[in-house]
Amino acid sequence: QVQLVESGGGLVQAGGSLRLSCAASGRIFSINNMGWYRQAPGKQREPVAVLTSGGGTNYADSVKGRFTISRDNAKNTFYLQMNSLKPEDTAVYYCNARIGVNVLLTLVDYWGQGTQVTVSS
C-alpha cells in the first residue's frame, strides 16, 4: 500500500556533500518515526539519524554535526543532508518510516530500496 522511494546517492569526494531524499507514496494516514540507516559491506545495519513525530532527533555519534535529518510534511518526504563526508561514510543508505496505513492507524514499518553512497579519498 505504501512505497518509499530513495534518491540522491552517488559518488562524491571526501569533504563533499549529498542530500538523500525518501518519498512516501500511497494511502498514508500518518507518519510516525522516520529515519535513515546505513550498511557497509561486512557490517551490521546501523541507525544514522532518526526523527520522531514529536520533533525529537537522534544521531549516531559518528555523524553528529555533519548530518541533518528533516522532513517536508506536505510532500510526505524526508531528507538526509550529509556534509563533510568521509570515506568511512561509504555504505548503502536506507530510509525507514513507521506509517499508519488505515483509519485504525495500523502501524507498519516500510523500508526504501537503498541508495549507494560512495566517498572517495
Side-chain angles (χ1 to χ4, degrees), residues 39-61:
Q39 187 167 19
K43 298 183 66 177
Q44 294 180 317
R45 185 175 299 185
E46 63 174 348
V48 175
V50 175
L51 177 64
T52 69
S53 59
T57 57
N58 188 45
Y59 295 95
D61 288 340

Side-chain angles (χ1 to χ4, degrees), residues 36-108:
W36 292 92
Y37 299 73
R38 68 186 181 188
Q39 187 167 19
K43 298 183 66 177
Q44 294 180 317
R45 185 175 299 185
E46 63 174 348
V48 175
V50 175
L51 177 64
T52 69
S53 59
T57 57
N58 188 45
Y59 295 95
D61 288 340
S62 60
V63 307
K64 285 182 179 178
R66 300 188 297 120
F67 291 10
T68 303
I69 186 171
S70 62
R71 69 178 187 265
D72 185 334
N73 291 333
K75 297 181 178 180
N76 283 332
T77 300
F78 60 102
Y79 308 92
L80 185 68
Q81 179 67 47
M82 304 184 292
N83 298 326
S84 302
L85 283 162
K86 304 175 180 179
E88 51 263 44
D89 295 319
T90 296
V92 177
Y93 284 71
Y94 299 89
C95 62
N96 169 267
R98 175 160 288 189
I99 295 175
V101 298
N102 57 34
V103 296
L104 299 177
L105 296 183
T106 301
L107 298 177
V108 179

Side-chain angles (χ1 to χ4, degrees), residues 8 11-20 66-67 80-85 117 119:
L11 175 65
V12 66
Q13 293 184 336
S17 298
L18 287 172
R19 189 180 75 159
L20 307 183
R66 300 188 297 120
F67 291 10
L80 185 68
Q81 179 67 47
M82 304 184 292
N83 298 326
S84 302
L85 283 162
V117 171
V119 184

